[in-house]
Amino acid sequence: MKKILFILVIMVNSLMLYAQSGAHTPSSAVWEVFFSSDGKRCLTMSLDEAVLWDYPQKKTIWIKKAADLGGFRDLGLFEGANTDPGLNYLIKKNPSDVRPWAALIDLNTFRYIGWGWGQLQFASDGRIPVIQPNQGRNQNILYIIDPKTLEKEKIADKMYRIHLAEKGELIVITQQDKNFHENRKDNRYYSIKEKKFVDGDVVDPKSYYNTQLGRYVVKGEENLKYHKVELVSITGNEGVTTNFIKCRDQDDKEIKSFPIANPQSIHWAKTKICFISPENTIVKVLEHKRMVDNSDMSLSFVNTYNYLTGQLLDSFELTNSSANVIASAQAILDQGKAKAQQQAQINNLPENQLKQRVNMLSFNGSYVINQKTLRIYKLQPEKAAYKGGMVSLEAITSAGNLQAFEKIDNLENKAMYKSIKGYKVCPYCQGKGATQTYKEHEIDQTLSKGRIITETTTYTHGCQSCGGGGIIPL
């Protein structure tokens, strides 16, 4: 009987350690995880969908396709999203060519509004500190915006910029000195909890902000021991990066260093720490691994470790790895591959390859100058004539623009052509494209010099500054 109970305990522990399949599509790895401050809710995001979880129950609250929240394709390679401590709001960046460049999303009602501020971080009370830029050094204004009502409260003026410290409980306000460096000795500190400037003064009977330590401390316990937990990556000779967790004390002495269950990242889907609880000495890590029998599919996990012992306490699989979901995801991948191959064939056509080369030139500016003739041209990628590798150009002159053609090889030769920002009227010829000089000669038509005629000869020269075009580069 005892043996059977022992086996059952092992089976229960195994089920706790390795949860059943999650909700994310296996063809897209999870790239970001946000936990609420109490650890009860969890938001996971891949390029295909976002999922809000009841984390203790490991159950989904809702699942939304990325398109329903404005898309995530633009966020795959860099940090582009933040949430408030209660996981009620999400701020995310949008593609750089689409205004507004960020959006604020209510995760309960899914209200989607443009976010016109440059700041994307939430304070500990769920509000968002933002800066109103003003002309002049240290003339910016700090506001805090309530994401629910969008009302803003003025906090400070005559400032440069801010950063949040102490898990969003403190706003550090900085200024610039005359050399445009941040003058840290004049920093101001605004407590979100107390709603006032503290600057190292006592905030409440128990804790205060210690400017020397750079954190809130309990009065009389400034030297209290604490742990530093971080993800450390080592890249080997073959370029393979291995991740592990390192725990140190306040004196930077190593306490524990241990490997994680899935030590390698997958492409852009980075391994990262997503939650730390000093009270329970645990750290949660977003990890990934390829499926053994399908290299196109990846699995994502949130693994929980005791950072003092290295023990794996819980492994939550975020990916749905059931057979029907994998089959559906594979079909979508195959369709995408077929479209990519078809597009590659189109891109490899001679006319399209020429347009791509002209577009590459256009990244540095739409205008080029012939460094020998000094004539200025505007690139026209949409009119590229692929036969003979010729590129359609608009020759810019003060007298009017003309159609011209040039070989792409010559345009790419930096010794022949150089990119310029634009052009202006030539100040030497006043836009005429030529300069004139005059020579006077006296002719005596009488024997007694009673009648003298002055003859003037005009010489016209092409302007050497603009090459005769009447314009020069900016």
Side-chain angles (χ1 to χ4, degrees):
M1 185 66 178
K2 291 183 178 180
K3 185 176 181 180
I4 295 175
L5 287 174
F6 179 71
I7 293 174
L8 287 174
V9 169
I10 293 177
M11 292 176 63
V12 170
N13 286 338
S14 178
L15 289 172
M16 291 175 60
L17 199 59
Y18 298 98
Q20 294 179 349
S21 290
H24 281 279
T25 306
S27 56
S28 179
V30 174
W31 58 270
E32 190 61 275
V33 177
F34 297 102
F35 276 91
S36 60
S37 56
D38 59 8
K40 293 182 179 180
R41 300 216 303 175
C42 174
L43 177 69
T44 56
M45 303 171 71
S46 72
L47 292 185
D48 290 338
E49 61 266 313
V51 182
L52 186 65
W53 304 86
D54 178 331
Y55 192 78
Q57 299 294 323
K58 303 293 193 298
K59 293 182 178 180
T60 58
I61 298 174
W62 53 252
I63 302 173
K64 287 286 184 179
K65 288 296 181 182
D68 297 332
L69 300 178
F72 301 143
R73 293 282 162 181
D74 51 301
L75 306 182
L77 300 178
F78 53 89
E79 303 296 332
N82 268 307
T83 60
D84 69 301
L87 286 190
N88 294 303
Y89 295 93
L90 167 72
I91 290 183
K92 60 173 285 290
K93 289 182 180 179
N94 286 332
S96 59
D97 60 346
V98 176
R99 290 179 180 270
W101 289 299
L104 175 66
I105 304 171
D106 188 319
L107 297 178
N108 298 307
T109 65
F110 304 106
R111 183 178 64 149
Y112 186 101
I113 64 171
W115 183 251
W117 301 90
Q119 289 70 42
L120 307 177
Q121 288 186 301
F122 291 84
S124 60
D125 65 352
R127 295 186 299 164
I128 312 162
V130 298
I131 294 176
Q132 174 68 61
N134 279 338
Q135 291 185 346
R137 186 182 302 162
N138 299 323
Q139 294 302 310
N140 297 335
I141 302 174
L142 169 63
Y143 296 97
I144 298 184
I145 293 181
D146 184 335
K148 184 176 182 179
T149 63
L150 299 181
E151 294 179 353
K152 61 183 183 181
E153 175 188 355
K154 183 178 178 180
I155 300 299
D157 55 14
K158 299 186 183 304
M159 51 154 298
Y160 172 47
R161 65 181 179 185
I162 64 169
H163 72 266
L164 288 170
E166 289 297 306
K167 297 181 180 180
E169 293 183 3
L170 192 77
I171 302 177
V172 180
I173 304 169
T174 67
Q175 288 192 321
Q176 274 188 335
D177 61 20
K178 62 181 181 180
N179 296 318
F180 299 98
H181 298 142
E182 285 191 78
N183 191 357
R184 300 186 184 279
K185 66 182 180 65
D186 292 329
N187 283 359
R188 289 178 285 171
Y189 305 93
Y190 183 83
S191 171
I192 294 295
K193 180 180 179 181
E194 299 299 317
K195 296 185 177 181
K196 69 178 184 180
F197 286 92
V198 293
D199 200 21
D201 296 329
V202 173
V203 178
D204 58 47
K206 292 183 179 180
S207 65
Y208 73 102
Y209 184 73
N210 188 299
T211 54
Q212 184 176 1
L213 296 176
R215 58 188 175 88
Y216 274 107
V217 297
V218 176
K219 196 170 185 179
E221 297 182 1
E222 289 82 356
N223 297 320
L224 187 67
K225 293 183 178 181
Y226 62 95
H227 300 119
K228 301 177 182 179
V229 182
E230 61 182 340
L231 183 73
V232 180
S233 301
I234 296 180
T235 302
N237 295 331
E238 298 181 355
V240 178
T241 300
T242 301
N243 301 294
F244 60 96
I245 297 294
K246 179 178 287 188
C247 175
R248 298 174 294 162
D249 63 17
Q250 73 282 356
D251 298 320
D252 282 339
K253 181 180 178 182
E254 183 177 314
I255 297 176
K256 185 68 178 178
S257 179
F258 57 92
I260 58 177
N262 304 285
Q264 295 177 1
S265 302
I266 295 179
H267 297 310
W268 51 263
K270 295 181 180 178
T271 304
K272 60 179 66 177
I273 291 176
C274 48
F275 186 81
I276 298 175
S277 173
E279 296 80 12
N280 301 317
T281 64
I282 62 170
V283 57
K284 296 183 183 293
V285 185
L286 171 62
E287 303 176 17
H288 313 87
K289 72 176 181 181
R290 288 287 184 196
M291 292 183 63
V292 177
D293 55 348
N294 194 330
S295 60
D296 288 334
M297 303 295 166
S298 59
L299 303 176
S300 302
F301 306 85
V302 171
N303 288 338
T304 304
Y305 303 88
N306 183 316
Y307 58 68
L308 294 180
T309 66
Q311 181 184 4
L312 177 61
L313 303 175
D314 177 67
S315 183
F316 178 36
E317 184 177 338
L318 303 172
T319 309
N320 188 333
S321 56
S322 60
N324 60 327
V325 172
I326 292 175
S328 176
Q330 187 63 57
I332 294 173
L333 280 178
D334 292 341
Q335 291 175 6
K337 289 179 181 179
K339 289 182 179 179
Q341 290 175 355
Q342 184 179 11
Q343 187 62 48
Q345 292 175 352
I346 295 174
N347 293 340
N348 287 331
L349 294 174
E351 58 268 36
N352 289 331
Q353 285 188 336
L354 179 61
K355 287 183 179 180
Q356 291 168 25
R357 292 171 70 180
V358 179
N359 283 331
M360 290 298 294
L361 290 173
S362 300
F363 286 150
N364 295 323
S366 298
Y367 297 93
V368 295
I369 183 171
N370 186 308
Q371 301 199 73
K372 182 178 180 180
T373 66
L374 302 181
R375 290 300 182 96
I376 294 174
Y377 303 90
K378 183 178 181 181
L379 298 170
Q380 295 179 311
E382 71 282 358
K383 296 182 180 181
Y386 73 92
K387 291 183 179 180
M390 300 296 289
V391 176
S392 175
L393 302 174
E394 185 178 6
I396 311 295
T397 73
S398 59
N401 299 343
L402 304 171
Q403 179 71 55
F405 294 91
E406 178 62 284
K407 290 184 177 181
I408 184 65
D409 292 338
N410 292 339
L411 289 170
E412 291 175 335
N413 186 343
K414 294 183 179 180
M416 296 182 65
Y417 285 90
K418 181 175 69 173
S419 295
I420 60 173
K421 294 180 179 179
Y423 58 88
K424 63 180 180 179
V425 174
C426 176
Y428 299 98
C429 67
Q430 302 298 317
K432 297 178 181 178
T435 57
Q436 294 179 335
T437 58
Y438 305 92
K439 185 177 181 180
E440 294 183 348
H441 176 65
E442 293 183 354
I443 302 175
D444 183 5
Q445 291 188 342
T446 65
L447 295 177
S448 62
K449 290 189 177 183
R451 183 182 178 193
I452 298 176
I453 297 175
T454 301
E455 184 180 76
T456 302
T457 304
T458 302
Y459 297 91
T460 302
H461 308 276
C463 180
Q464 296 182 356
S465 177
C466 64
I471 56 174
I472 61 173
L474 288 174

